[in-house]
Amino acid sequence: SLNFAYHFPEYRKSQVELLSLVVFALIKAKDVRHAALAERFPGDAKTDSVIRRIERFFDQHPLCPADVARFLLQLLPDPKQREFIIDRTNWKLGGQDVNILVLAVIWRGVAIPLLFEFLDHSGNSNAATRLLILEDALQILHCQDIFTLYGDREFIGQDWVDGLIDQGIPVTIRIRYTTSIDGLPGSEWLSDLQPGAVGVLLDDVEVFGSPMNVVGTFTTDGETLLVASNAMKSHKILKAYRKRWKIECLFRALKSKGFQLENTHMTLHDHLERLLCVLTLAYVWCILVGLQQSVRLKTHGRRAWSVITLGLRELVRAWSQPEKQREVQILAFIDLFSPSQTGFLETVG
């Protein structure tokens, strides 16, 4: 049962076993639809019966984001302060919007989903909703464990920044070119760039009523790029902010590049919440397995395949091996769900 009985001791044995079966099926199916999962369940039960069992799992199982988040923070140790990213993922199911605010933590260069907040509308989140998800995060970690929180231009505003400061959470966010920096629009700070200058570095300026450091430049297509932070000096901001894109890789892995999240027909928040919890466990398992794999580098120095792709490929392939070989390999992969193993991965990384 994937050692989940150790990590979720408050769950009954039957609940742990069913959770393990759903994670196994999700890996093998690479699809979140109930019928696709049911086809990968072991045993002689008819598919309709298995589908009903899966439906009961998503309707009644005690699995919740807080339990999974506590497990992940223990499983994925980090000797340094952690970096977090906040962003939304959304899609349409018929005429209904599915809009989810996600808080992810960066570990070994990969964004891992930690907590979720479901929005009952399309479009951007508001400051109150964002602060709510961070209040939940501070129930399972301390603000001193957070190096910074990355966010794009949706995650701005004085109420939002004031709320983060009140909670002791440092922030690194992209701001709009109209945002006031020491009383001047951000675009004006870039208007006097000297020929050959890459950008401007501004330390200890006022942004959203708080002291911030800011870097300003232009993208390759001429768009204004301004990033403000109270976590680091201006000359370090741009390189660090690039890590925000890791959450886009996460969303692709949960959707078209991995588990086809948008295929689900579930719309109830409780059901989707459990689905995201199971997806998180499967996704992390892929990362742990993928980190063990060797892969060639392309000419630009990047991996030919992502860690998630490598891990998912190896896990799916393991089930196609002869029985004895399959058992040995799967058990070895299951053993990775141990803090002693992930601590070793962190050390060698």
Side-chain angles (χ1 to χ4, degrees):
S1 59
L2 280 178
N3 291 329
F4 286 163
Y6 172 79
H7 296 295
F8 301 102
E10 67 277 19
Y11 295 177
R12 298 194 306 270
K13 181 180 177 182
S14 60
Q15 293 170 334
V16 173
E17 290 176 347
L18 183 54
L19 172 60
S20 303
L21 288 173
V22 174
V23 172
F24 280 151
L26 185 57
I27 291 285
K28 291 186 282 186
K30 295 189 288 186
D31 195 323
V32 298
R33 291 173 300 176
H34 292 178
L37 297 176
E39 291 171 3
R40 274 76 179 183
F41 261 55
D44 299 326
K46 293 183 177 180
T47 301
D48 286 347
S49 297
V50 179
I51 289 175
R52 285 194 293 273
R53 189 180 181 193
I54 292 170
E55 288 172 344
R56 287 195 296 272
F57 170 85
F58 287 112
D59 188 50
Q60 301 173 5
H61 200 280
L63 186 67
C64 67
D67 288 347
V68 175
R70 290 189 190 93
F71 163 51
L72 292 180
L73 291 175
Q74 179 186 19
L75 178 70
L76 309 175
D78 197 327
K80 307 182 295 296
Q81 287 179 301
R82 296 180 187 267
E83 297 170 278
F84 293 80
I85 314 170
I86 191 167
D87 206 350
R88 283 185 308 113
T89 185
N90 59 279
W91 66 91
K92 275 190 174 291
L93 180 59
Q96 183 171 348
D97 291 290
V98 182
N99 198 9
I100 308 172
L101 186 66
V102 179
L103 179 69
V105 62
I106 298 174
W107 185 76
R108 291 298 306 274
V110 183
I112 295 171
L114 201 66
L115 292 171
F116 321 100
E117 192 70 36
F118 292 85
L119 308 181
D120 58 3
H121 56 79
S122 61
N124 292 351
S125 60
N126 57 43
T129 304
R130 300 171 210 151
L131 291 171
L132 182 62
I133 198 173
L134 289 169
E135 288 175 10
D136 291 342
L138 291 178
Q139 299 299 312
I140 55 177
L141 55 89
H142 195 278
C143 63
Q144 292 177 349
D145 299 326
I146 303 173
F147 173 68
T148 195
L149 173 69
Y150 298 106
D152 67 9
R153 285 170 290 187
E154 174 182 334
F155 302 94
I156 57 174
Q158 186 156 347
D159 290 345
W160 167 238
V161 172
D162 286 347
L164 291 173
I165 291 173
D166 289 344
Q167 295 188 64
I169 299 175
V171 65
T172 301
I173 50 174
R174 184 174 178 181
I175 59 178
R176 296 170 182 157
Y177 71 92
T178 56
T179 302
S180 174
I181 302 174
D182 261 1
L184 292 175
S187 56
E188 289 201 24
W189 289 96
L190 292 172
S191 62
D192 295 328
L193 270 182
Q194 299 299 314
V198 175
V200 296
L201 303 176
L202 306 171
D203 286 316
D204 198 24
V205 291
E206 185 178 294
V207 181
F208 300 123
S210 299
M212 293 262 194
N213 303 320
V214 178
V215 59
T217 186
F218 294 100
T219 64
T220 54
D221 57 5
E223 186 180 5
T224 299
L225 175 62
L226 292 158
V227 185
S229 176
N230 56 9
M232 63 195 84
K233 292 295 185 180
S234 57
H235 68 279
K236 295 182 177 180
I237 292 174
L238 207 54
K239 180 179 179 181
Y241 182 72
R242 294 191 184 103
K243 297 176 185 178
R244 196 206 71 81
W245 292 101
K246 296 181 186 299
I247 201 167
E248 305 293 347
C249 299
L250 159 63
F251 292 153
R252 285 197 297 271
L254 297 183
K255 294 178 176 179
S256 59
K257 296 294 185 181
F259 296 103
Q260 311 300 322
L261 172 58
E262 292 168 302
N263 280 352
T264 181
H265 287 180
M266 294 190 293
T267 57
L268 293 178
H269 288 182
D270 287 349
H271 295 185
L272 279 170
E273 194 172 77
R274 291 186 184 96
L275 175 59
L276 286 168
C277 287
V278 175
L279 274 170
T280 296
L281 294 172
Y283 172 84
V284 169
W285 199 13
C286 291
I287 291 170
L288 298 179
V289 173
L291 286 171
Q292 291 193 323
Q293 312 307 313
S294 58
V295 61
R296 68 178 179 85
L297 301 179
K298 293 186 176 180
T299 53
H300 50 52
R302 297 176 185 167
R303 290 169 171 261
W305 303 98
S306 70
V307 169
I308 297 93
T309 298
L310 287 169
L312 182 55
R313 179 187 298 165
E314 287 301 310
L315 281 164
V316 172
R317 189 167 181 270
W319 264 286
S320 67
Q321 304 300 317
E323 184 175 353
K324 286 188 177 180
Q325 184 178 344
R326 177 176 68 240
E327 182 177 342
V328 171
Q329 194 166 12
I330 293 296
L331 287 174
F333 288 158
I334 288 173
D335 194 47
L336 293 175
F337 274 101
S338 164
S340 63
Q341 294 294 315
T342 51
F344 173 74
L345 285 173
E346 180 67 29
T347 302
V348 299

